[in-house]
């Protein structure tokens, strides 16, 4: 199943984006009206009860009452798109990720598709494919990252931390979840890489933590990248308990390639994008956002080297 012609036009428009596109997309300062127009222009696919959008990075899917979120905007978006029935979220990337959001106006279709994704994971399949740009290149061209993950309180905030060898009791109590992500290097340039990521499990911030375990944090990860240190250019993993989160640190050469100053770094968005979902009828794809494609060009990363 392919997207509509609008998706192809969107992809062409993104490919023409200029240097200012590196931080383009949704910002928390945008109001509901501007965000609604952004979402209306991001429709990728519309067929029967299914609707697919290309979510900008930073926009939460769910929020507290009164917060601006995709869920809060769905009733108005539904009316603007001329849909009679209420929209439900079937599948969506996390707040800081960009990419495919699958919506349905039929409750039974929503449940059927959610069960399809669950069954696919149980069968060892990978229905969701993400693309990520990383600072660092994995030692192996492809492989799997397996680890336990859990929430840990650190001061006044909770962090997701890896648990390399979780015990049976902690897994049974669900204090720790066993997680798995399959990865493949699509291209490399200048010490950075374009990766394909396929999570078999779902846990908050799973992809970010797994990339730090590969010693290749995602570009724009200002939460977990500090857990990868370097001595004489050799990366190593730092314990989250002893390493506070901070704005990602990039060397001068990489900053120059990206056209950024150190002061602009905290504006750099997370470069993890939900690229494809495999549905019963076939795959549905979303083009990367402008800043992602801009980074690909700046770093000289061929966007597709898949066999």
């Amino acid at each position: 199943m392919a997207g509509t012609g609008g998706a192809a036009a969107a992809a062409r428009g993104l490919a023409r984006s200029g240097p200012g596109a590196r931080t383009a997309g949704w910002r928390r300062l945008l109001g509901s009206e501007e965000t609604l127009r952004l979402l209306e222009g991001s429709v990728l696919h519309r067929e029967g009860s299914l609707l697919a959008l290309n979510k900008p990075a930073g926009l939460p899917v769910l929020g507290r009452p009164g917060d601006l979120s995709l869920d809060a905007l769905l009733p108005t978006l539904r009316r603007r798109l001329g849909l009679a029935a209420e929209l439900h979220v079937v599948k969506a990337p996390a707040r800081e990720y960009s990419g495919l959001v699958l919506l349905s106006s039929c409750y039974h279709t929503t449940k059927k598709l959610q069960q399809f994704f669950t069954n696919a994971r149980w069968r060892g399949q990978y229905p969701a494919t993400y693309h990520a740009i990383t600072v660092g290149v994995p030692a192996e061209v492809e492989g799997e990252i397996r680890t336990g993950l859990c929430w840990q309180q650190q001061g006044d905030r909770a962090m997701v931390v890896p648990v390399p060898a979780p015990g049976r009791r902690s897994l049974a109590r669900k204090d720790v979840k066993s997680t798995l992500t399959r990865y493949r290097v699509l291209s490399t340039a200048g010490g950075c890489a374009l990766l394909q990521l396929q999570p078999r499990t779902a846990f908050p911030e799973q992809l970010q933590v797994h990339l730090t375990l590969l010693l290749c944090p995602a570009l724009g990860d200002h939460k977990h990248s500090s857990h990868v240190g370097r001595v004489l250019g050799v990366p190593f993993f730092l314990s989250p308990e002893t390493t506070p989160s901070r704005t990602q640190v990039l060397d001068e050469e990489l900053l120059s390639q990206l056209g950024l100053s150190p002061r602009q770094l905290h504006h750099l968005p997370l470069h993890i994008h939900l690229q494809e979902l495999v549905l019963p009828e076939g795959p549905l794809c979303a083009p990367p956002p402008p800043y992602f494609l801009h980074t690909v060009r700046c770093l000289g990363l061929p966007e597709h080297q898949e066999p």
Side-chain angles (χ1 to χ4, degrees):
M1 177 173 64
T4 63
R12 291 193 295 271
L14 294 180
R16 291 193 296 268
S17 57
R22 59 175 168 262
T23 56
W26 187 83
R27 293 180 177 85
R28 290 170 180 79
L29 294 178
L30 286 182
S32 58
E33 179 60 33
E34 293 90 347
T35 304
L36 277 166
R37 286 201 295 267
L38 188 65
L39 293 173
E40 284 183 89
S42 73
V43 174
L44 296 169
H45 180 83
R46 185 171 175 177
E47 183 179 345
S49 61
L50 289 181
L51 179 71
L53 306 177
N54 199 354
K55 186 185 84 68
L59 178 64
V61 176
L62 301 175
R64 294 171 296 182
D67 285 353
L68 186 60
S69 66
L70 175 64
D71 185 65
L73 295 173
L74 283 183
T76 305
L77 183 65
R78 171 184 64 81
R79 289 193 295 272
R80 290 194 178 189
L81 294 176
L83 299 172
E86 180 182 354
L87 286 169
H88 309 276
V89 178
V90 179
K91 189 82 171 173
R95 176 181 193 147
E96 298 305 327
Y97 301 173
S98 60
L100 264 173
V101 173
L102 188 62
L103 305 168
S104 169
S105 58
C106 172
Y107 177 81
H108 296 293
T109 299
T110 300
K111 291 301 178 184
K112 180 180 177 181
L113 284 171
Q114 288 174 340
Q115 190 61 50
F116 166 79
F117 290 127
T118 299
N119 292 343
R121 288 195 294 268
W122 277 110
R123 291 192 298 267
Q125 299 171 341
Y126 298 79
T129 297
Y130 292 76
H131 280 186
I133 297 177
T134 62
V135 181
V137 179
E140 303 292 336
V141 174
E142 59 184 328
E144 294 181 341
I145 310 135
R146 296 175 181 266
T147 189
L149 291 178
C150 74
W151 286 100
Q152 186 179 91
Q153 195 68 29
Q154 296 183 8
D156 60 351
R157 63 185 300 182
M159 282 284 293
V160 178
V161 299
V163 183
R168 291 183 180 179
R169 289 185 179 181
S170 62
L171 291 171
R173 292 194 305 265
K174 298 186 178 179
D175 296 332
V176 179
K177 180 170 181 176
S178 181
T179 61
L180 166 65
T181 300
R182 185 168 65 181
Y183 77 89
R184 183 154 61 93
V185 178
L186 300 179
S187 61
T188 65
C192 293
L194 177 65
L195 265 60
Q196 174 183 284
L197 302 171
Q198 294 180 308
R200 187 174 171 186
T201 52
F203 197 88
E205 301 170 25
Q206 173 178 322
L207 297 181
Q208 291 154 270
V209 177
H210 281 189
L211 287 173
T212 64
L213 293 174
L214 273 182
L215 305 179
C216 302
L219 185 64
D221 185 352
H222 306 302
K223 195 168 186 178
H224 297 277
S225 61
S226 58
H227 304 150
V228 178
R230 287 183 179 271
V231 173
L232 300 176
V234 179
F236 63 96
F237 186 75
L238 292 164
S239 169
E241 291 85 353
T242 59
T243 314
S245 298
R246 65 169 186 267
T247 299
Q248 188 173 34
V249 176
L250 303 178
D251 62 37
E252 291 184 6
E253 183 178 352
L254 185 51
L255 281 173
S256 177
Q257 284 182 282
L258 296 174
L260 294 173
S261 70
R263 287 186 177 183
Q264 294 173 311
L265 261 177
H266 70 281
H267 292 301
L268 188 67
L270 183 66
H271 284 60
I272 299 180
H273 174 73
L274 178 50
Q275 181 87 8
E276 179 182 282
L277 285 173
V278 177
L279 306 184
E281 296 82 9
L284 187 61
C285 299
Y291 69 82
F292 197 108
L293 293 175
H294 175 76
T295 298
V296 164
R297 290 195 303 273
C298 286
L299 297 178
L301 287 166
E303 196 183 350
H304 297 291
Q305 284 190 353
E306 300 158 87

